[in-house]
Amino acid sequence: MVYKYDFLIIGAGVAGMSYALKVAREKKGTVCLICKTSLDEANTSFAQGGVASVTNLAVDDFDKHIEDTMIAGDYISDRAAVEQVVRCAPEQIKELVQWGVNFDKKEDGTFDLHREGGHSEFRILHHADDTGAEIQRGLMAAVRACPDIVVKENHFAVEIITQHHMGVRVTRRSPHIQCYGAYVLSGESEGAKEPSYRVDTYLAKITVMCTGGCGAVYLTTSNPVIATGDGIAMVYRAKGTVQDMEFVQFHPTVLHNPKETHPAYLITEAMRGYGGILKLPNGETFMEKYDERLSLAPRDIVARAIDKEMKIHGLDHVCLDVTHKDPAETRHHFPNIYQKCLSMGIDITTDYIPVRPAAHYMCGGIKVDLNGQSSIERLYALGECSCTGLHGGNRLASNSLIEAVVYADAAARDSLKHVDLYDFNDRVPEWNDEGTMTNEEKVLITQSVKEVNQIMSNYVGIVRSDLRLHRAWDRLDMLYEETERLFKRVKASKDICELRNMINVGYLITRFALERKESRGLHYTIDYPVHAYDK
């Protein structure tokens, strides 16, 4: 089947829903929101810490937030992008509140601000310890109440449509590659024992990629299992520009629980801002060996420190200690973490919390300009799948949610100006949906996913080397060839498409890591342990 929408949004986290709401209210065209699973299973809902914005002008200002972001990003960040996000943040916070998002406030009505690692002031707005879930809840309610937004849950974008699909040879140097929509997989008999699938053609004047991150390429991640880097992989295959893929942020503190790896339960950085202290299981502190900011050092430093201590002492985790804090206050500020740990027999008011690093956030992605426009005409990218230049070599805590909303606003304003200049491309061919999928092929796909996880975690993790990266490259290359052959002869399914995307993203992370001949930001290699400019 062929569907036509003026605005096609692929992904339904904070970026996708914000953009949908902003363009829908202008009533300049039809709006369709493609959601891979259900609306409430986006990465946004797993963000605990909060949203960074300058709101307390008595002690804070834009320049401080800008400088904190540049320092955390190891001065790779694009200052224009940093300034845009920081200066536009307060207005977008107001809009989130208007959409029904609740942030915690003090008795005097002002925001109850937290401070997190790398921030020089208290500027983190939050909702207890489940801020992402609250933002997702508020935006979901607004989207579902908007009659002008068509939501397609349990739909999966297979490829974006460009001139390539009409027989035109497209290269990375081709001028004016255009996006005409996407091929989208949907279940014809959802809920059945063996659902059958079809790939439909979704034509669009404007396509917006908001597919989130790619943490699921690693063995342990704070991301949900659906975070397979789909948007980045699709745009790369369409010859779009990607950037900074070597900068994978590992959150220093997820709850150590071998039974929960996708997602591993996140222990928010706000807990360290609250006064939590990192210790070895025997009670010894260790951060003083690595940074004068101790447990409040930026995430890359903390993650490497924990990784090193685990290796030195042969540990599978370290600990976070908040037992010195007032128990009632701890339960008040972190009710969900308290209950989660209690369910495992850990009372965080009296016991240490076992924690370890896990893949958390992709700082790179689809390269976009200040309007969120990618290198492919008519295609925008927002949220974690995009690379705005804000994060540089390392994301400053709680900058990502506000980045998504600010760029959703910029992209909405820009695309609304251009949507009337484009037409639907009715010459696009339908997807060739031939092929079968047997249990034998399903087994191969499952095993290949496990191999990708092991390759990325063992060779392209927190600490890297050229030897490890080349081994990852060789293994991924073999998996790529096998998977492409399989993809060409089987019927399209979510599993085979996700595997392709994971391999593409793993390759990109590895390639960019090999190309950077220095340790910088989140990319640390034992072969080049210092900045290039320090040599």
Side-chain angles (χ1 to χ4, degrees):
M1 294 184 64
V2 178
Y3 298 89
K4 293 182 180 181
Y5 294 97
D6 295 284
F7 300 93
L8 178 65
I9 304 150
I10 304 171
V14 61
M17 288 198 288
S18 296
Y19 178 88
L21 289 165
K22 288 170 182 290
V23 294
R25 70 188 174 196
E26 300 300 323
K27 299 188 182 298
K28 289 193 68 175
T30 51
V31 182
C32 180
L33 190 64
I34 299 290
C35 185
K36 185 174 179 178
T37 53
S38 61
L39 275 181
D40 57 359
E41 202 180 342
N43 261 10
T44 298
S45 62
F46 293 87
Q48 291 177 342
V51 185
S53 176
V54 174
T55 56
N56 184 4
L57 296 176
V59 295
D60 202 5
D61 58 50
F62 292 145
D63 289 338
K64 289 182 181 178
H65 191 179
I66 290 167
E67 189 61 19
D68 289 345
T69 301
M70 295 298 297
I71 291 170
D74 211 351
Y75 292 98
I76 299 175
S77 300
D78 181 336
R79 184 171 283 273
V82 175
E83 293 200 3
Q84 174 166 293
V85 171
V86 169
R87 296 184 188 281
C88 294
E91 191 61 34
Q92 296 307 310
I93 292 294
K94 291 179 184 176
E95 187 147 38
L96 286 174
V97 172
Q98 289 169 1
W99 282 331
V101 176
N102 297 307
F103 295 110
D104 288 354
K105 292 185 177 181
K106 299 178 182 177
E107 290 183 1
D108 64 3
T110 59
F111 289 119
D112 178 27
L113 302 175
H114 280 180
R115 181 184 172 192
E116 295 181 353
H119 288 272
S120 57
E121 300 291 349
F122 287 74
R123 65 168 70 98
I124 312 302
L125 292 85
H126 66 98
H127 180 272
D129 57 353
D130 62 350
T131 308
E134 169 59 19
I135 292 174
Q136 194 77 2
R137 181 208 60 77
L139 291 176
M140 281 193 300
V143 165
R144 285 179 169 143
C146 180
D148 299 314
I149 300 175
V150 175
V151 179
K152 300 264 189 172
E153 293 184 292
N154 298 302
H155 283 61
F156 181 80
V158 177
E159 297 285 12
I160 59 170
I161 301 168
T162 65
Q163 294 100 312
H164 167 76
H165 295 95
M166 295 179 292
V168 177
R169 184 173 179 270
V170 174
T171 69
R172 298 199 187 281
R173 295 186 178 181
S174 297
H176 309 304
I177 303 173
Q178 289 193 328
C179 178
Y180 306 122
Y183 291 116
V184 178
L185 184 74
S186 64
E188 292 180 323
S189 52
E190 291 166 15
K193 205 168 190 180
E194 287 292 335
S196 59
Y197 295 96
R198 68 168 189 265
V199 177
D200 295 318
T201 304
Y202 281 68
L203 299 179
K205 295 180 179 178
I206 299 289
T207 304
V208 187
M209 198 65 76
C210 308
T211 51
C214 55
V217 303
Y218 287 91
L219 278 171
T220 304
T221 176
S222 63
N223 297 177
V225 69
I226 62 171
T228 48
D230 305 323
I232 297 170
M234 281 187 279
V235 171
Y236 175 73
R237 287 196 295 267
K239 312 302 181 186
T241 303
V242 296
Q243 179 175 296
D244 293 347
M245 291 294 292
E246 69 270 41
F247 297 125
V248 181
Q249 186 174 73
F250 285 78
H251 197 288
T253 55
V254 300
L255 183 62
H256 173 59
N257 179 1
K259 295 179 181 178
E260 295 182 352
T261 59
H262 290 73
Y265 190 81
L266 188 66
I267 304 298
T268 174
E269 190 161 332
M271 187 162 270
R272 285 183 282 128
Y274 167 71
I277 300 170
L278 288 165
K279 296 181 177 181
L280 298 175
N282 65 7
E284 291 180 22
T285 60
F286 58 86
M287 280 306 301
E288 63 272 12
K289 294 190 289 183
Y290 300 97
D291 196 279
E292 62 184 11
R293 290 163 289 187
L294 305 177
S295 295
L296 277 174
R299 291 179 179 179
D300 59 324
I301 295 172
V302 177
R304 281 199 297 273
I306 294 173
D307 181 70
K308 187 171 182 178
E309 291 295 316
M310 287 168 57
K311 288 174 179 173
I312 289 172
H313 299 285
L315 301 170
D316 56 11
H317 70 276
V318 295
C319 298
L320 187 61
D321 178 18
V322 291
T323 60
H324 55 287
K325 302 292 288 187
D326 178 72
E329 188 179 6
T330 298
R331 287 190 292 268
H332 171 72
H333 281 299
F334 307 103
N336 294 289
I337 292 176
Y338 176 77
Q339 289 298 330
K340 175 65 177 179
C341 291
L342 204 60
S343 73
M344 296 172 57
I346 301 166
D347 182 342
I348 65 174
T349 65
T350 58
D351 304 322
Y352 291 171
I353 306 169
V355 295
R356 61 170 299 146
H360 182 58
Y361 190 88
M362 169 50 72
C363 291
I366 304 160
K367 181 176 172 55
V368 297
D369 63 16
L370 292 173
N371 292 318
Q373 169 76 55
S374 75
S375 63
I376 297 176
E377 194 176 338
R378 300 169 59 160
L379 177 69
Y380 294 77
L382 308 172
E384 190 174 350
C385 72
S386 72
C387 181
T388 66
L390 171 70
H391 307 303
N394 180 26
R395 178 180 70 108
L396 180 64
S398 292
N399 263 0
S400 52
L401 290 175
I402 196 62
E403 174 199 37
V405 184
V406 168
Y407 270 83
D409 186 69
R413 285 187 280 106
D414 189 66
S415 57
L416 283 164
K417 294 176 190 174
H418 295 97
V419 66
D420 291 336
L421 302 177
Y422 301 127
D423 294 316
F424 295 108
N425 191 331
D426 293 309
R427 295 175 293 127
V428 170
E430 292 191 28
W431 182 267
N432 181 354
D433 211 13
E434 297 177 357
T436 59
M437 177 71 76
T438 68
N439 285 333
E440 179 72 9
E441 287 147 350
K442 290 177 183 177
V443 168
L444 291 176
I445 293 168
T446 300
Q447 292 306 311
S448 293
V449 168
K450 291 180 180 178
E451 286 185 59
V452 173
N453 287 163
Q454 291 167 346
I455 290 166
M456 295 304 294
S457 295
N458 291 335
Y459 307 131
V460 201
I462 296 172
V463 177
R464 301 162 179 174
S465 71
D466 282 354
L467 184 63
R468 295 178 206 174
L469 292 172
H470 279 295
R471 174 168 286 195
W473 181 291
D474 292 340
R475 302 295 191 273
L476 288 168
D477 188 56
M478 181 177 66
L479 281 172
Y480 170 79
E481 295 294 340
E482 292 174 354
T483 303
E484 287 303 301
R485 286 196 298 270
L486 188 62
F487 181 74
K488 288 173 183 176
R489 71 181 181 84
V490 301
K491 191 175 180 67
S493 72
K494 180 169 167 285
D495 291 341
I496 185 70
C497 292
E498 285 186 324
L499 173 59
R500 289 182 81 213
N501 294 339
M502 292 171 71
I503 293 170
N504 281 166
V505 169
Y507 157 77
L508 286 168
I509 295 170
T510 305
R511 193 193 86 191
F512 275 77
L514 277 167
E515 289 175 354
R516 184 170 286 280
K517 304 299 184 183
E518 62 173 342
S519 287
R520 194 80 179 270
L522 297 163
H523 172 67
Y524 184 83
T525 169
I526 60 176
D527 292 309
Y528 309 96
V530 296
H531 284 167
Y533 55 70
D534 288 337
K535 292 180 181 178

